[in-house]
Amino acid sequence: MAAAYEEFTAGEDSYSNRIEWPCIQKMLPALQGKDIIDLGCGSGRFTFLLEKEKPHTITGIDISPAMLKIAEKHKDALDSQAQFFQGDICHMATDHQYDLVFSSTVFHYIQELAPLFARIAALLKPHGQCIISQLHPVYTAQYPIAREGHFPDDEEWNVRYLDKNLRGYIQP
């Protein structure tokens, strides 16, 4: 899934680049010298874009080792100072607080949002800000992506968001 996601979001005409990032940029506070955390950072796409704003620190956390492997590869190529950690954003253990808590297209994987929002509130410095970007379910209903003319079986696309017991979805 990590490689497919990276391919899907990396293109110039991707949702991430054409729609999401321009909207996020309009909401961003001044980030120079600030501490930022990217929850569910995946391959680091937005971590690296946020780093261009010259924060003091930028940290990415993701549950997927495969996504973090891609992020580390990009980090080396970009000579980035971002720090990446593997972990579940619902149970992250840190006493550090941040000026900006950011998350892109992650919360649809979270079964219980209230504890996560409480954790985010604890992560924020006084007057800190949080930006959460989320896809509409109609958009995500078109996953998974075909590979060589074959769509993966449901069992191969194992994410909670697409669990038929919890949520209905359209299989292309």
Side-chain angles (χ1 to χ4, degrees):
M1 181 182 155
Y5 177 83
E6 179 63 10
E7 181 181 327
F8 184 72
T9 60
E12 237 180 78
D13 287 334
S14 73
Y15 170 88
S16 299
N17 291 320
R18 288 287 183 168
I19 298 170
E20 190 175 16
W21 181 241
C23 291
I24 290 165
Q25 284 179 297
K26 291 177 183 177
M27 293 185 279
L28 287 177
L31 297 177
Q32 188 170 0
K34 304 292 185 175
D35 295 313
I36 302 171
I37 189 166
D38 183 355
L39 303 179
C41 65
S43 63
R45 174 159 328 287
F46 292 109
T47 309
F48 300 124
L49 289 169
L50 292 166
E51 187 177 27
K52 290 180 180 180
E53 302 299 317
K54 302 188 182 345
H56 176 251
T57 64
I58 185 147
T59 304
I61 182 170
D62 201 277
I63 201 166
S64 169
M67 293 297 271
L68 291 172
K69 185 175 180 180
I70 294 169
E72 289 291 345
K73 181 178 157 188
H74 290 313
K75 176 182 172 176
D76 292 342
L78 296 168
D79 195 28
S80 168
Q81 300 303 307
Q83 295 294 308
F84 293 102
F85 300 97
Q86 183 185 1
D88 182 338
I89 64 171
C90 295
H91 304 286
M92 52 192 161
T94 179
D95 291 329
H96 193 80
Q97 289 190 305
Y98 299 89
D99 298 290
L100 176 69
V101 175
F102 175 81
S103 186
S104 168
T105 63
V106 174
F107 286 25
H108 54 274
Y109 296 108
I110 308 300
Q111 198 163 7
E112 297 292 329
L113 289 173
L116 177 58
F117 285 127
R119 185 68 190 124
I120 289 170
L123 287 173
L124 284 170
K125 290 181 181 179
H127 307 290
Q129 293 182 325
C130 177
I131 296 176
I132 299 167
S133 176
Q134 192 58 40
L135 293 173
H136 191 282
V138 169
Y139 181 82
T140 58
Q142 298 306 309
Y143 288 128
I145 301 167
R147 291 284 169 240
E148 299 176 11
H150 166 74
F151 284 98
D153 294 330
D154 287 349
E155 293 74 32
E156 296 175 66
W157 194 259
N158 186 20
V159 292
R160 289 184 306 235
Y161 179 60
L162 301 179
D163 184 339
K164 291 178 184 176
N165 296 317
L166 298 176
R167 299 170 176 93
Y169 69 97
I170 300 167
Q171 179 70 32

